[in-house]
Amino acid sequence: MVKKTKKETAQGSQEYPETQPEENTAGDDNNTIETLMQQFQEKEKEAAENYDKYVRAVAELENYKKRAARDRADSLKYGQENLIKDILPLMDSLDRAMAHACKSNDFEAFKSGLQLLQNQLSSCLGKQGVEPIEAAGLDFDPNVHEAVLQVESPDHGHNKVVQEFEKGYMLNGRLLRPSRVSVCRLPAKQDAH
């Protein structure tokens, strides 16, 4: 047997350090794992709730799109309902006027009946926001008047509307149809010879 020197013994002890017994951390690890599992389950539940909310929101959006498309189609299909309801009494009046005209030879009564129908129609159009454009005797306005003819007239000023051939209309402040008019121009100066 070989005897080891002090130096070798000291070196040997350095090569194999003594390990201290470890404390029992298994209990702490189990608590940490349980806590993490609990947090994981809570997050899974929260994710499932968020996914459910997402699916519901997508379904609501799709339903809204379908409802909006249906409402748009209905408004196009039935949008003129109020106008038609306002015109129906006018049709009734026309029917009565035609029946009366066939039985009677009174032209004045027929004329007054037509005037009544015209007033009724003007009132109906006014309810819908339709307003006639005034033209005769006013300055020509290319925004609301369409010049069909130019006439020379000493009785009217230059660029004044002389005659209205077709009445123009505005719908809620927007041009629906321009007035078709004749416009006055100054008479051409004749050369003196």
Side-chain angles (χ1 to χ4, degrees), residues 29-193:
D29 287 343
N30 285 341
N31 287 341
T32 305
I33 291 172
E34 286 176 19
T35 304
L36 289 175
M37 286 300 287
Q38 187 178 15
Q39 288 175 351
F40 177 71
Q41 289 171 351
E42 288 173 5
K43 294 300 177 183
E44 268 188 336
K45 183 179 178 184
E46 185 179 333
E49 289 172 358
N50 288 338
Y51 181 74
D52 185 51
K53 288 178 185 176
Y54 163 75
V55 169
R56 288 176 190 268
V58 168
E60 286 178 18
L61 180 61
E62 286 301 315
N63 288 339
Y64 171 75
K65 286 180 181 179
K66 289 175 185 175
R67 190 170 46 250
R70 187 174 52 248
D71 289 347
R72 194 174 321 115
D74 284 349
S75 71
L76 289 174
K77 190 173 182 180
Y78 303 110
Q80 301 304 323
E81 184 176 356
N82 289 336
L83 176 64
I84 301 301
K85 284 181 178 180
D86 287 343
I87 290 176
L88 288 178
L90 189 66
M91 281 299 296
D92 296 337
S93 296
L94 276 172
D95 290 341
R96 283 191 295 273
M98 288 301 293
H100 183 69
C102 291
K103 294 177 185 175
S104 173
N105 291 332
D106 187 5
F107 183 72
E108 286 302 314
F110 184 72
K111 186 177 168 184
S112 66
L114 281 179
Q115 182 66 43
L116 182 65
L117 286 171
Q118 184 181 26
N119 292 342
Q120 197 174 8
L121 180 59
S122 294
S123 173
C124 172
L125 291 174
K127 276 204 267 185
Q128 297 300 321
V130 177
E131 300 171 7
I133 297 172
E134 297 299 322
L138 300 176
D139 288 335
F140 175 75
D141 182 359
N143 295 317
V144 293
H145 300 140
E146 179 182 340
V148 176
L149 185 64
Q150 271 192 333
V151 295
E152 291 182 7
S153 172
D155 298 335
H156 297 88
H158 179 67
N159 223 20
K160 294 280 187 184
V161 174
V162 176
Q163 185 179 3
E164 183 178 50
F165 298 113
E166 198 172 83
K167 192 173 273 303
Y169 294 94
M170 303 282 280
L171 175 61
N172 297 320
R174 184 178 185 183
L175 183 65
L176 190 61
R177 180 178 84 180
S179 297
R180 299 186 73 189
V181 298
S182 65
V183 181
C184 181
R185 68 175 178 199
L186 291 177
K189 294 184 180 178
Q190 298 185 0
D191 296 328
H193 292 304

